[in-house]
Amino acid sequence: EFALNLKKMKRLTLTILMSAVFLGIDARTNESVFEYGNNQKDAQEFPVLKSGKSNLDKAFTLAVETLFKNTPDSLIKAGGTYGGEWTRDVSINSWNAAALLMPEKTAHSLWSVTTDNRTFIGHQYWDHIIWVTGAYDFYQKTGDRSFLRQAYVASANTMKKLETEEFDSKYGMFMGPSVFNDGIAGYEEPIYEAKHKSSYVLDHPNSKPIKCLSTNCIYYNAYLVLAEMAAIEGDKAAKKAYTKKAENLKAAIRKNLFDTKANKLNYLIDGKGDVHTHQEALGVSFAILFDVVSDAEAKKIIPNIHSTKYGIPSIYPHFKRFDKEHPGRHNVIIWPFVSAFWADAAHSQGFKDIFSFELQNLADLALNSNNCFYEIYNSETGAVDGGWQLDHQWNSVHDQTWSATGYIRMIFNNLFGMRFTPEGLTFNPDVELLNEYGVEKLSNLRYLNGRLNIVISGKGTKLAAVKVNGKTQSVKKPIAPADGITQIELIIK
């Protein structure tokens, strides 16, 4: 009888612990992990886009399904055969879409790539710092102060460590590979050395001292975000210090990698001090989105960017060892999530033709490749192609999460102009494109414990008013998250 009762007690304890996890409660402290509730029961009720372009609608549904498909438990995986161990994937997927669509799983995923009891950011050192941007965006969308408080600790500790280990005082910039290019196919000689038969960039010793555009732009934004975190936490001295460091880093990026005469942003500086003048699409996008360059400068840079029939190539032109028949895995080839950031950057400067092309192109790439968002596509043919590295062709992984969330980003950020703060959601939609695409509504969109049904009404050139549950309010007033269904009407005149 004692054994039977002990067995029942163990089962009861396990049930309580599992329930605590499900409800977002830390069983060790009995404190709420989230300031928002858990909406797992209806998490599979996906949002639906309805417009006059069926390819956009189908691609949106496919993108959302891909995100949920790659999150079968509490961890957002990078893609079909990938796990969830990359800080950059977790952070970018959160930033693009997951923080809004599945906040509980996103919080778990963001913490999963931290170490030392959530006090440091982990995994590949050069992309640690992109987590800071993802974490702050998560706070903006959820208002979770307990999350922010711990994220500030992890972000500040990690930045201090990287300042000690990776900062090159000669250039005033941070060392390390470019944001996601962990393959040596993303680098020209002398960074690439043929004698090293490894695809991993750090196995090529000359990669250690390089200073890359995308990575330093991410550091710059991390400083700005840390300043915001410090302000929220009441740390005025830290806010001032981070702001100054951001200003210094911005000046260094501009000095070393911005050719003002040619209106061009360059890729990197190698260990010999030579500038590699290749076009790095992700770096250019971040420089524009984070205001490393001014709006006036961006408007001169964008027309000089080289693109292809199937979108902007990740890095251009071909390195000496690659060509059209053998495109490098990280060279002249299409990474859809990069294309999405580029589309976002171009749209921010009024280049709607570039944005519209990339949006529709990505929809077509996915729908024409067995209804699947792949990792990489050939820039010449649009075919699924993992590119070449170490003298052989690699696979392009199916159901790549950030390819899918990149598409969602373009719908949320640019088409509908969604902007989040802890106080709520505002809209600054692209009315011209809403009209052109015949967008009617975005329904069943999760926002914390509730759902939003967003309807477009009227024709015209600007957003004139917003109705929330039938009541008209200013377009600038945030729409606070609420339980149940919130009906939102965007009135165009």
Side-chain angles (χ1 to χ4, degrees):
E1 184 175 321
F2 174 80
L4 181 61
N5 288 336
L6 183 61
K7 192 180 234 184
K8 288 180 179 178
M9 289 176 66
K10 286 181 178 178
R11 276 203 305 266
L12 179 60
T13 301
L14 180 61
T15 300
I16 292 170
L17 288 170
M18 291 181 70
S19 298
V21 171
F22 181 80
L23 291 170
I25 296 170
D26 188 332
R28 296 164 299 175
T29 62
N30 199 35
E31 292 181 358
S32 173
V33 177
F34 312 116
E35 293 183 5
Y36 41 88
N38 189 298
N39 208 13
Q40 296 288 348
K41 182 179 179 181
D42 57 353
Q44 296 299 321
E45 294 179 10
F46 300 147
V48 176
L49 176 68
K50 185 177 181 182
S51 73
K53 289 186 175 290
S54 62
N55 65 328
L56 298 186
D57 300 348
K58 290 176 182 177
F60 180 77
T61 297
L62 177 62
V64 175
E65 288 176 346
T66 301
L67 171 59
F68 278 83
K69 180 180 181 180
N70 287 333
T71 318
D73 43 40
S74 296
L75 184 65
I76 303 170
K77 298 193 303 178
T81 58
Y82 291 147
E85 62 269 31
W86 289 281
T87 300
R88 55 183 171 269
D89 287 75
V90 166
S91 303
I92 288 171
N93 285 322
S94 172
W95 185 16
N96 282 346
L100 180 63
L101 298 180
M102 48 174 64
E104 298 85 7
K105 294 184 177 185
T106 299
H108 175 87
S109 298
L110 286 168
W111 291 129
S112 76
V113 292
T114 61
T115 65
D116 300 273
N117 198 27
R118 301 180 178 179
T119 58
F120 284 91
I121 306 162
H123 298 260
Q124 294 177 337
Y125 74 88
W126 71 87
D127 70 352
H128 284 172
I129 214 64
I130 198 169
W131 188 93
V132 183
T133 293
Y136 188 67
D137 174 80
F138 181 87
Y139 165 69
Q140 292 288 94
K141 288 171 179 167
T142 64
D144 188 339
R145 284 294 301 275
S146 61
F147 176 94
L148 180 74
R149 193 169 299 113
Q150 192 61 43
Y152 180 44
V153 172
S155 299
N157 287 344
T158 303
M159 181 63 89
K160 184 177 181 180
K161 183 173 186 288
L162 291 168
E163 286 173 340
T164 301
E165 298 175 357
E166 304 303 333
F167 187 72
D168 186 336
S169 57
K170 178 181 178 181
Y171 292 92
M173 298 170 68
F174 287 88
M175 299 182 291
S178 50
V179 169
F180 77 102
N181 293 311
D182 57 356
I184 195 57
Y187 308 89
E188 183 60 285
E189 299 173 351
I191 302 165
Y192 160 73
E193 295 180 274
K195 66 181 180 181
H196 297 293
K197 303 301 180 182
S198 171
S199 64
Y200 184 44
V201 59
L202 292 183
D203 288 336
H204 296 251
N206 288 337
S207 67
K208 176 66 177 173
I210 66 177
K211 277 75 64 175
C212 297
L213 178 63
S214 59
T215 299
N216 277 276
C217 286
I218 284 292
Y219 271 99
Y220 168 68
N221 194 61
Y223 274 135
L224 295 180
V225 166
L226 276 163
E228 292 295 322
M229 290 180 172
I232 294 168
E233 293 300 303
D235 193 343
K236 293 181 180 179
K239 180 180 186 269
K240 184 177 180 180
Y242 287 130
T243 301
K244 181 61 177 176
K245 288 177 179 180
E247 292 171 356
N248 292 341
L249 181 54
K250 178 178 177 177
I253 295 170
R254 292 175 60 87
K255 177 183 177 181
N256 293 301
L257 294 176
F258 183 26
D259 184 340
T260 54
K261 292 183 179 179
N263 295 311
K264 184 179 187 299
L265 289 155
N266 293 315
Y267 180 21
L268 60 83
I269 300 173
D270 66 25
K272 296 180 179 180
D274 293 331
V275 176
H276 292 218
T277 60
H278 291 77
Q279 168 188 294
E280 185 204 8
L282 190 61
V284 172
S285 302
F286 287 160
I288 294 170
L289 290 171
F290 300 149
D291 297 322
V292 173
V293 294
S294 69
D295 288 351
E297 289 167 338
K299 286 177 171 62
K300 294 178 181 178
I301 292 168
I302 291 172
N304 294 330
I305 294 296
H306 176 85
S307 193
T308 76
K309 182 179 178 181
Y310 293 98
I312 191 168
S314 181
I315 300 172
Y316 178 86
H318 290 287
F319 300 142
K320 289 180 288 187
R321 63 194 188 276
F322 301 125
D323 54 36
K324 288 184 178 180
E325 288 69 38
H326 306 87
R329 179 170 174 81
H330 296 277
N331 195 189
V332 183
I333 206 158
I334 307 300
W335 286 77
F337 89 94
V338 173
S339 301
F341 277 115
W342 165 239
D344 193 355
H347 187 272
S348 74
Q349 299 302 317
F351 289 82
K352 297 183 182 183
D353 55 337
I354 293 175
F355 170 80
S356 188
F357 165 73
E358 292 288 2
L359 176 69
Q360 296 188 72
N361 176 68
L362 180 49
D364 291 340
L365 285 177
L367 296 176
N368 293 335
S369 53
N370 301 316
N371 289 314
C372 181
F373 281 92
Y374 278 86
E375 180 183 30
I376 315 173
Y377 294 85
N378 189 291
S379 65
E380 294 287 327
T381 67
V384 176
D385 184 354
W388 287 73
Q389 190 166 237
L390 296 183
D391 301 321
H392 70 273
Q393 191 173 31
W394 288 52
N395 290 327
S396 175
V397 171
H398 63 89
D399 296 320
Q400 183 74 4
T401 314
W402 62 16
S403 297
T405 62
Y407 183 82
I408 300 171
R409 178 189 189 89
M410 290 188 279
I411 298 294
F412 288 172
N413 286 22
N414 306 115
L415 195 56
F416 282 88
M418 295 181 185
R419 299 293 182 265
F420 293 89
T421 68
E423 288 71 43
L425 163 67
T426 57
F427 293 88
N428 183 25
D430 189 317
V431 174
E432 181 182 344
L433 292 181
L434 288 177
N435 291 333
E436 180 182 333
Y437 298 158
V439 177
E440 297 179 23
K441 61 184 177 180
L442 177 61
S443 55
N444 198 38
L445 175 65
R446 182 178 177 186
Y447 185 22
L448 299 184
N449 285 332
R451 297 276 167 169
L452 309 179
N453 288 332
I454 305 161
V455 177
I456 310 297
S457 68
K459 294 290 183 180
T461 59
K462 67 177 183 178
L463 177 64
V466 175
K467 283 187 177 181
V468 180
N469 294 326
K471 295 182 179 180
T472 303
Q473 68 174 49
S474 166
V475 297
K476 295 182 179 180
K477 181 180 179 181
I479 302 169
D483 293 350
I485 302 295
T486 300
Q487 304 288 351
I488 299 172
E489 183 181 359
L490 304 182
I491 302 170
I492 309 300
K493 290 184 180 179

